[in-house]
Amino acid sequence: MIKSFILGIIVAILAIAASIYLVLAKGVIPAGADSGPLPLEHWASRLSLHAALASEAPKTPNPVALTDANLIAGIQLYGQHCAICHGTAAGDASTSPVAKGEYPKPPQLGTDGVEDDPEGVTYWKIDHGIRWTGMPSWKATLSDQQMWTLALFLKHMDKLSPAAEQAWQAVTNTPPAPAPSPAPPASSSSPSS
Ligand code: HEC
């Protein structure tokens, strides 16, 4: 009796695993980023993000002092690494080709900023990135100090001093025109005859 019950459970588990495999292998679940989230994907990603933020985001104050020099350093880092997806001071009007192709859409922070979020929450998102979205983890590229400097700027971006505001207005997210292609290098291995 018990034996056939356990056997039944094993068969059921194998049948479910085989169906999941078939659904994936037959391409029933769209693999393209242009097909948007699956049912429950958005809900599941929010739920796990909120849980991670509640337990892991640092609650300590930002170790980077609120000075113009630090805000401008944050703006420069933002221009180098973030504007490509999150836009410039022009907000929604500056949505880049990369941002247009992402799902979920990266918020254009010039319009839809995160000034209301605690700096530790913003720091956590920069440090770890956000699963199921195009938000990368920056820990391999930026130092702790740089990530806190970015969090400082994002917290205060709606009330910048004139000097910082000027730096912010100067941030662009359009790639520079390609440099003219250099002359082909002279071949050193095969001397011309
Ligand atoms: C390749 C595109 C991409 C790049 C580059 C990128 N992000 Fe993101 N970021 C995203 C996406 C997409 C989201 C939205 C994630 C979501 O829906 O939860 C996001 C979300 C965020 C959020 C949370 C916004 C909110 O409303 O809660 C912050 C803060 C953030 N990014 C900061 C940064 C910073 C700082 C950088 C540069 C160091 C950066 N991101 C670079 C794609 C990017």
Side-chain angles (χ1 to χ4, degrees), residues 42 45-46 49 77-78 81-86 98-99 102-107 109 112-114 117 121-123 125-126 130-136 138 142 147 150-151 154:
H42 181 74
S45 64
R46 293 302 99 174
L49 177 62
L77 285 167
Y78 180 95
H81 301 297
C82 322
I84 182 75
C85 285
H86 289 294
V98 172
E102 287 224 307
Y103 100 87
K105 293 269 173 278
L109 296 175
D112 195 9
V114 289
D117 288 351
V121 162
T122 299
Y123 166 85
K125 290 176 180 172
I126 301 169
I130 303 178
R131 186 186 292 285
W132 283 324
T133 80
M135 172 62 188
W138 290 92
L142 301 176
M147 293 190 278
L150 278 159
L154 293 178

Side-chain angles (χ1 to χ4, degrees), residues 58-139:
K59 302 198 170 48
T60 45
N62 193 331
V64 176
L66 177 56
T67 64
D68 261 17
N70 288 336
L71 285 171
I72 291 170
I75 290 166
Q76 281 160 354
L77 285 167
Y78 180 95
Q80 272 174 309
H81 301 297
C82 322
I84 182 75
C85 285
H86 289 294
T88 67
D92 288 339
S94 61
T95 305
S96 73
V98 172
K100 282 182 190 152
E102 287 224 307
Y103 100 87
K105 293 269 173 278
Q108 300 303 288
L109 296 175
T111 304
D112 195 9
V114 289
E115 297 90 337
D116 291 346
D117 288 351
E119 282 167 89
V121 162
T122 299
Y123 166 85
W124 187 97
K125 290 176 180 172
I126 301 169
D127 188 21
H128 294 278
I130 303 178
R131 186 186 292 285
W132 283 324
T133 80
M135 172 62 188
S137 157
W138 290 92
K139 58 157 61 83

